[in-house]
Each structure stands twice: as structure tokens, then as C-alpha cells.
């Protein structure tokens, strides 16, 4: 207090995606004693990416569990625990390694609720970094959004900002269905503004609801995860040329909020999808198909355009890697193609 004026703290703060995820895990472990975290190096080492920093010291061996290097093994343990109403958070060091456990994720977790007519819930979260990182080559750079989004029985979320990360992880842990949460390793250290509301322990983001990050009138850009940032950068570049892009952060891959995309396309009459995954049968392909099948198709003034990763295994060399991942210039080019300018 100074000269009779109360100096209040700023409503929003800067928080990295790493810290937002850590905060969400801490709050949910504290809130519900059935929640526990397991995976490689999540306990004593504080996590391979330091997402679980401090949680083992705070909650102990029963709530934060280091596992052997066997994805099939610890994913199976986690699914079994979920079937008896514990709420495991199963961390894969990278989702590329989830292929070792894909039978547990799809055949055990995703299908059980359906096959049991709903009598067996599987409240589990599979989470970890997904898609390309930097210099980790083909075996560590795949995007699994389309893979897991293909499967009935799963919910699939893909955060971009710190608020996305916190709100979606908390919602995923509280959900009674198996949820796959696809994070970006390259975003872990990136700070985002976190609103006062998002700092609350009860802050959750509904699964299945997209967010319009930027309003626009000329073209709709739809993306998830790291490419959302590229779309916002491309929109800033195009704005200087008189083109106003509406940027939609998909947030959830399954169930997909196609209604928000449709409403935007009705307004802008043009659509560009952006993703880091391969083009064939991708998330962008699904969005384009849904738009074509629905009422928004009649409002399109030009064919939809997809911006994707290159249709090759990811190279190791940086210059080749950069050319395999969508860049801002690629999005600008796609928008101009869609608008025929």
C-alpha cells in the first residue's frame, strides 16, 4: 500500500508449459488420492523433461513410481489399475515408444468400456511428448494424433499453450475414459501468459472444445500443438498485407470440435489446415472431409489446403528436418494459394 492506493498483483503471469503440467499433476495428486504417476525416470530423477519435478519428494513411492524400461509392462499395469478405479497417469518418455504398448492402449484401455457395455470404466491418462523434436531423427519424430484419433474409445488432446496444458491435463485426469495427451517437447520451455482464472486449482478446459486464438475474416487456419504458434505468426505476417486470418487452436483431436471450424469457414469462406504429421490420413484430411460432408462446404470459395509434415521418415540433418516440418513461410504460401493471390 502506498499513498492510500492498494497495489494489486498482476492478474496474469508468465508460465512455461513444463511448469503448467507440473502444477496440474501436483494439484490432481493432492485433490484425489487415487491419482498416481508412473513411467521411466518420473520419480527420483524428476522426469526426463522435469515435468514431475518435486512430486516424488512430496508424494512418495506409492504415488510417483519409477518403472523399468518396458512400455508394454508399465502401460499394462496402469490399465489394470484404472480398471479397479485408480486413476493412473502413464508417462511415455516419447510417444514413439508408445508403439511398444499400443496393444495395451487400444485393445485393453480404449475398447474395454465399449465391450463391457460401460460397466468397466478405464480412467487413465497416457501422456508425453509427441511429434518432432530437434535432431532426434525418424524413430523419435512421429506425430501420433491421427493414429490415436482414429480409435473409438479414446479421447485425444493436443495442447499448445500453458493454459491448454494445465486445463487439458486436469480434465483428462478427471475423465472416466482413457485419454491420450500429446504434448510437444519443443514447447516445454516456452513461457505463455496464464490468466488469473487458469491459476485456480479448479481450472479445467473441456475436452472436445476448440479455441479461437485470433479473429479474422479472410481465411480459417486450423492447427493443434506447436503449429498453432506458427499460424499466429503467419497471421501477423499476412495482416501486414491486408489478409486477416482466423486461427483456431483445435486442442482436442477426438472428439473433434468441427462445429467451431464450420462456423469459422462460414464466415471466412476459406480453409487451411496445419499439422506436423504426415499428410496421408492425417488430422487435416479428417477436417477437410468433415467440412466437405457438412453445411460449411457450400460456403467455401476455394478448395481447402493442407499444410503438413513431409511424407518421409524424419531426417536427422537440421536443414532437411526444417524442410520436413511446416514453417511460417509454408503457411503464408498456403493461405495465398487458397485466396488465389
Amino acid at each position: 500500500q502506498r499513498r492510500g492506493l492498494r497495489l494489486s498483483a498482476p492478474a496474469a503471469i508468465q508460465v512455461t508449459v513444463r511448469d503448467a503440467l507440473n502444477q496440474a499433476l501436483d494439484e490432481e495428486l493432492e485433490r484425489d488420492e487415487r491419482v498416481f504417476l508412473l513411467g521411466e525416470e518420473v520419480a527420483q530423477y524428476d522426469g526426463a523433461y522435469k515435468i514431475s519435478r518435486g512430486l516424488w519428494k512430496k508424494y512418495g513411492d506409492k504415488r510417483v513410481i519409477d518403472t523399468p524400461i518396458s512400455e508394454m509392462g508399465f502401460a499394462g499395469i496402469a490399465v489394470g489399475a484404472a480398471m479397479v478405479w485408480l486413476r493412473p497417469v502413464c508417462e511415455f518418455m516419447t510417444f514413439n515408444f508408445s508403439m511398444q504398448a499400443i496393444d495395451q492402449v487400444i485393445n485393453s484401455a480404449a475398447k474395454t468400456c465399449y465391450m463391457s457395455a460401460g460397466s468397466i470404466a478405464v480412467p487413465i491418462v497416457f501422456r508425453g511428448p509427441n511429434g518432432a523434436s530437434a535432431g532426434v531423427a525418424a524413430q523419435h519424430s512421429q506425430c501420433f494424433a491421427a493414429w490415436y484419433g482414429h480409435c473409438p474409445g479414446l479421447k485425444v488432446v493436443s495442447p499448445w499453450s500453458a493454459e491448454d496444458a494445465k486445463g487439458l491435463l486436469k480434465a483428462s485426469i478427471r475423465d472416466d475414459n482413457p485419454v491420450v495427451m500429446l504434448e510437444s517437447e519443443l514447447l516445454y520451455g516456452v513461457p505463455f501468459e496464464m490468466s488469473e482464472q487458469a491459476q485456480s486449482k479448479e481450472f479445467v478446459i473441456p475436452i472436445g472444445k476448440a479455441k479461437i486464438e485470433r479473429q479474422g475474416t479472410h481465411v480459417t487456419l486450423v492447427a493443434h500443438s506447436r503449429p498453432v504458434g506458427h499460424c499466429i505468426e503467419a497471421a501477423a505476417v499476412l495482416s501486414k498485407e491486408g489478409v486477416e486470418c482466423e486461427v483456431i487452436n483445435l486442442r482436442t483431436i477426438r472428439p473433434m470440435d468441427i462445429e467451431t471450424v464450420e462456423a469459422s469457414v462460414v464466415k471466412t469462406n476459406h480453409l487451411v489446415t496445419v499439422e506436423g504429421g504426415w499428410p496421408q490420413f492425417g488430422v487435416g484430411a479428417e477436417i477437410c472431409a468433415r467440412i466437405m460432408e457438412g453445411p460449411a462446404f457450400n460456403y467455401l470459395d476455394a478448395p481447402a489446403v493442407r499444410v503438413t509434415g513431409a511424407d518421409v521418415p524424419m531426417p536427422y540433418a537440421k536443414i532437411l528436418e526444417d524442410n520436413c516440418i511446416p514453417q511460417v513461410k509454408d503457411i503464408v504460401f498456403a493461405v495465398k494459394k487458397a485466396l488465389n493471390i
Side-chain angles (χ1 to χ4, degrees):
Q1 210 165 2
R2 188 173 65 187
R3 294 187 181 177
L5 297 175
R6 180 174 293 171
L7 301 177
S8 58
I13 58 173
Q14 291 282 313
V15 177
T16 65
V17 171
R18 174 183 288 109
D19 289 341
L21 291 166
N22 179 269
Q23 195 177 107
L25 287 169
D26 189 8
E27 289 171 5
E28 294 305 302
L29 283 161
E30 181 180 64
R31 175 180 176 271
D32 188 341
E33 64 181 10
R34 295 172 299 172
V35 176
F36 69 99
L37 174 64
L38 77 166
E40 295 151 353
E41 299 182 351
V42 299
Q44 296 187 44
Y45 188 65
D46 281 340
Y49 304 97
K50 304 304 177 221
I51 302 300
S52 53
R53 183 191 290 123
L55 298 181
W56 173 68
K57 287 182 180 177
K58 185 173 181 179
Y59 294 101
D61 290 326
K62 288 189 176 181
R63 305 288 302 283
V64 185
I65 303 167
D66 277 330
T67 65
I69 304 173
S70 173
E71 281 75 17
M72 182 185 290
F74 67 75
I77 288 168
V79 172
M83 287 178 178
V84 292
W85 277 98
L86 295 175
R87 305 188 85 89
V89 179
C90 177
E91 178 180 306
F92 294 123
M93 195 176 289
T94 158
F95 258 92
N96 298 271
F97 302 158
S98 75
M99 293 175 71
Q100 300 289 333
I102 203 161
D103 181 60
Q104 305 286 10
V105 178
I106 305 303
N107 285 325
S108 298
K111 296 178 183 177
T112 295
C113 187
Y114 275 74
M115 294 167 69
S116 66
S119 64
I120 302 175
V122 189
I124 185 171
V125 180
F126 300 100
R127 55 153 295 272
N130 169 71
S133 181
V136 292
Q139 283 79 8
H140 301 79
S141 295
Q142 287 146 223
C143 175
F144 287 87
W147 292 50
Y148 287 118
H150 180 65
C151 302
L154 285 179
K155 293 185 178 182
V156 183
V157 298
S158 182
W160 168 58
S161 67
E163 283 197 9
D164 289 352
K166 181 180 179 183
L168 287 171
L169 180 52
K170 287 171 73 72
S172 300
I173 292 171
R174 297 182 189 191
D175 201 291
D176 287 340
N177 297 279
V179 182
V180 169
M181 182 160 174
L182 304 171
E183 301 154 12
S184 168
E185 181 184 338
L186 294 175
L187 288 175
Y188 282 154
V190 177
F192 289 87
E193 189 172 276
M194 184 176 276
S195 67
E196 189 174 13
Q197 179 192 10
Q199 295 166 46
S200 161
K201 288 187 176 182
E202 291 308 310
F203 175 73
V204 294
I205 290 172
I207 294 173
K209 186 63 183 167
K211 180 186 178 186
I212 297 174
E213 297 286 353
R214 189 184 197 278
Q215 297 283 346
T217 53
H218 295 125
V219 61
T220 299
L221 298 178
V222 187
H224 66 95
S225 192
R226 190 165 172 256
V228 174
H230 294 341
C231 287
I232 291 171
E233 289 180 47
V237 171
L238 288 159
S239 181
K240 294 174 183 176
E241 300 180 33
V243 176
E244 295 301 329
C245 303
E246 183 143 295
V247 178
I248 296 177
N249 173 8
L250 209 52
R251 280 180 165 173
T252 305
I253 307 301
R254 184 184 184 110
M256 187 176 284
D257 183 6
I258 204 66
E259 293 80 13
T260 294
V261 180
E262 284 179 334
S264 180
V265 169
V266 167
K267 180 171 72 170
T268 67
N269 311 118
H270 297 88
L271 173 65
V272 174
T273 67
V274 186
E275 63 188 304
W278 293 315
Q280 192 155 323
F281 313 114
V283 174
E286 176 67 17
I287 294 167
C288 292
R290 297 272 196 101
I291 292 298
M292 187 191 73
E293 292 167 350
F297 174 73
N298 298 309
Y299 291 83
L300 278 175
D301 288 344
V305 179
R306 290 182 293 156
V307 180
T308 71
D311 197 21
V312 297
M314 184 66 71
Y316 171 72
K318 186 178 189 314
I319 190 167
L320 297 177
E321 181 182 66
D322 288 345
N323 279 283
C324 285
I325 301 170
Q327 307 292 338
V328 172
K329 62 180 174 60
D330 302 316
I331 301 168
V332 171
F333 179 82
V335 168
K336 290 183 176 181
K337 178 182 177 182
L339 294 174
N340 195 28
I341 57 176

